[in-house]
């Protein structure tokens, strides 16, 4: 663990840097969700970012620190879609050529967005091919700079600005979260928020069932990868293992992890539509799902949850709205 | 026209009063919507208010000014759903008994919300019965205070706080709207925003086709009612005529009006979901629809649009997402 880790100072420095690209999203509260959870639940509406995900924060922080020479060489990123969209957006605005390596089964809305922003799209087979290898080959061939989706100090620091806002906005609302529940795959957002919190609240990583690599890695104190081949509706959260930067940050922060089912994620999407009028994709709804499932730390009276991304194919959104009322949907949720 | 009209001072006084109930909703901007419209389009996301509509502003401003004696007598409101939900929410918080008179064909989500907040619900037949008469009878019988949905000085002043925020937030974004496009039925929100604008931007009322009573009333310089019996998917915008307060305010402000079709409203709902990750109901999407249809005033380089309410039955949302790509949906909208 000798890699230099980003610090809270890096997060503080990122906040003004990224203001041109990422907005200060609202921290919303619904009395109905509070009643259902038996506590205050503050929802950080990151799906309102341009291109629909918190990824804009890290992408902007990373690309804005490229040297002129690096900008000229272009960037390459591998992503199932939300990091890809953010990179394509920022790269276009900065006049940087971008190549995106995406799994061929990524949601169509995500792939279309990347192409609309003028990035070159390279598809691969999620099961048979390695996106890291493809991206490395492209980088070697073209000299492009690889921008990782989570295991990068500038990306983590950028995502952490979300945590700074949660603390400030909660204080403005007279609230003090005991815990922050964060949608987690590689752990970039979770690690960034952990840096921002600096112990002010407990950090809980929320993963989809079958993709609890972070939970198992935190328990083992070392990187444990997911079993290959397990599917989940949470297309944004299918990374195989925590990062070499994110895991040490989350371990040092004393983070814990919980998992939710695909059905829970879909039910939370429906709650977001009906109660908050927000569109979240399955992977973006898992933290809200955890709160609704009663998975906040024992004794908590207030939690914050991240809600992001919001890029979902219509069929999946309809499935969420269409499904029979689940136990989560008691009362008027 | 000897009725005392609310003034901009009333709007300024309402802002701090209602802060306990209504949030400062974000003013959002999407480069993709801008590109489609050929101008900056600032979207005031009022669907993020508690209970999903700007109506919270006027309801709070009105009920907070009741005397203790009036509070004890209770309130009665007639509404197709969004005003009703806001009244029920504020009334419960203030310990005021509320009776809501709603058309029996109002969206189920709206009626369920009113009942969940503990209000008494009285349904009527939109075609055969008069909601004003029913509400007046209830008021006479119980002594309750009638809280009109739009033709009330305190309600108009409360809705106007939305306009104050648009001006402040646009300035923070370095923007100066040439016009504000407002979803319009009785004209409470439009009149309130007109007071807030005080000439700083042109006000455009946006109505559903067949319900252009405001357009015709503004043109005639006097109240003109809609032809009865015309249907629209915009259930929130079916009032028969402008109010005795709202029309003079809008005339004095030099407001104009445009109409959009049901198909345009549905297409704008789909754009809101895909581009902004926001859920709007048909009536809440008509102002965005007008911008997408090119109905902003000639020469405008920046407009603001209201997006509210967001209470839509799943079937209608699915219909919006499901419909074949319309001319509005060129490119990646």
């Amino acid at each position: 663990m000798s890699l230099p880790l980003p610090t809270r100072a890096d997060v503080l420095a990122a906040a003004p840097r990224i203001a041109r690209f990422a907005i200060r999203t609202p921290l919303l509260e619904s009395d109905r969700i509070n009643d259902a959870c038996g506590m205050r639940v503050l929802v950080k509406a990151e799906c309102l970012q341009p291109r629909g995900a918190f990824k804009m924060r890290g992408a902007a922080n990373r690309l804005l620190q490229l040297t002129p020479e690096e900008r000229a060489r272009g960037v390459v990123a591998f992503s199932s879609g939300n990091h890809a969209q953010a990179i394509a957006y920022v790269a276009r605005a900065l006049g940087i050529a971008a190549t995106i390596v995406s799994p061929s089964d990524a949601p169509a809305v995500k792939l279309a967005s990347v192409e609309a922003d003028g990035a070159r799209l390279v598809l691969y087979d999620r099961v048979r091919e390695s996106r890291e290898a493809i991206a490395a080959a492209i980088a070697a061939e073209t000299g492009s700079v690889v921008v990782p989706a989570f295991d990068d100090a500038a990306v983590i620091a950028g995502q952490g600005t979300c945590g700074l806002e949660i603390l400030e906005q909660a204080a403005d609302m007279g609230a003090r979260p005991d815990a922050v529940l964060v949608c987690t795959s590689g752990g970039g957002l979770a690690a960034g928020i952990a840096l921002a919190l600096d112990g002010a609240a407990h950090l809980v990583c929320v993963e989809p069932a079958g993709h609890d690599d972070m939970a198992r890695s935190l328990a083992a104190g070392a990187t444990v990868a997911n079993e290959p081949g397990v599917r989940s509706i949470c297309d944004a959260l299918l990374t195989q293992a925590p990062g070499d930067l994110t895991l040490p940050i989350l371990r040092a922060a004393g983070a814990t992890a919980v998992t939710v089912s695909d059905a829970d994620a879909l039910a939370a999407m429906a709650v977001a539509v009906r109660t908050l009028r927000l569109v979240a994709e399955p992977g973006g709804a898992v933290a809200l799902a955890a709160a609704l499932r009663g998975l906040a730390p024992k004794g908590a009276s207030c939690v914050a949850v991240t809600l992001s991304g919001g890029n979902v194919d219509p069929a999946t959104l309809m499935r969420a709205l269409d499904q029979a009322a689940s136990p989560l949907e008691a009362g008027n949720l």
Side-chain angles (χ1 to χ4, degrees), chain A residues 32-142:
Chain A
R32 291 185 172 160
I33 292 176
N34 288 354
D35 289 348
C37 296
M39 65 180 72
R40 290 186 76 172
V41 179
L42 313 178
V43 180
K44 184 64 170 163
E46 284 290 289
C47 50
L48 295 177
Q49 290 290 357
R51 304 296 181 264
F54 72 88
K55 295 284 190 183
M56 189 60 65
R57 298 173 184 273
N61 197 44
R62 182 68 174 86
L63 295 197
L64 286 165
Q65 294 183 78
L66 291 174
T67 66
E69 292 72 22
E70 289 172 325
R71 286 192 185 198
R73 281 154 46 201
V75 295
V76 57
F78 44 88
S79 159
S80 64
N82 287 327
H83 175 60
Q85 286 184 75
I87 291 289
Y89 178 92
V90 177
R92 183 164 81 159
L94 298 178
I96 300 172
T99 301
I100 302 296
V101 182
S102 273
S104 52
D105 62 353
V109 291
K110 295 181 178 179
L111 301 179
S113 173
V114 164
E115 292 204 302
D117 279 336
R120 180 164 76 103
L121 190 58
V122 178
L123 299 179
Y124 74 97
D125 184 309
R126 194 195 290 272
V127 178
R128 292 188 302 105
E129 300 179 276
S130 157
R131 64 186 192 174
E132 289 84 352
I134 294 171
I138 290 170
E141 191 183 305
T142 63

Side-chain angles (χ1 to χ4, degrees), chain A residues 100-276:
Chain A
I100 302 296
V101 182
S102 273
S104 52
D105 62 353
V109 291
K110 295 181 178 179
L111 301 179
S113 173
V114 164
E115 292 204 302
D117 279 336
R120 180 164 76 103
L121 190 58
V122 178
L123 299 179
Y124 74 97
D125 184 309
R126 194 195 290 272
V127 178
R128 292 188 302 105
E129 300 179 276
S130 157
R131 64 186 192 174
E132 289 84 352
I134 294 171
I138 290 170
E141 191 183 305
T142 63
S144 298
V145 178
V146 177
V147 180
F150 57 88
D151 215 27
D152 177 280
V155 170
I156 293 169
Q159 319 301 30
T161 59
C162 177
L164 297 178
E165 293 175 16
I166 289 172
L167 289 178
E168 293 164 5
Q169 294 169 313
D172 287 345
M173 297 163 74
R176 192 187 165 91
D178 301 299
V180 181
L181 280 58
V182 184
C183 307
T184 301
S185 182
L189 179 61
I193 291 178
L195 292 175
L197 293 178
D198 195 24
H202 182 67
L203 193 129
V204 181
C205 299
V206 184
E207 299 177 288
H211 291 268
D212 58 342
D213 50 303
M214 186 64 79
R216 294 189 294 135
S217 297
L218 288 170
T223 302
V224 180
N226 290 312
E227 296 298 315
V230 180
R231 307 296 301 177
S232 165
I233 195 171
C234 301
D235 61 90
L237 305 182
L238 303 184
T239 299
Q240 284 306 305
D244 293 335
L245 301 179
T246 56
L247 181 59
I249 292 169
L250 288 165
R251 284 187 63 197
T256 54
V258 298
T259 63
V260 298
S261 68
D262 280 2
D264 289 341
L266 287 167
M269 287 173 63
V271 169
V273 166
R274 289 199 292 256
T275 309
L276 300 167

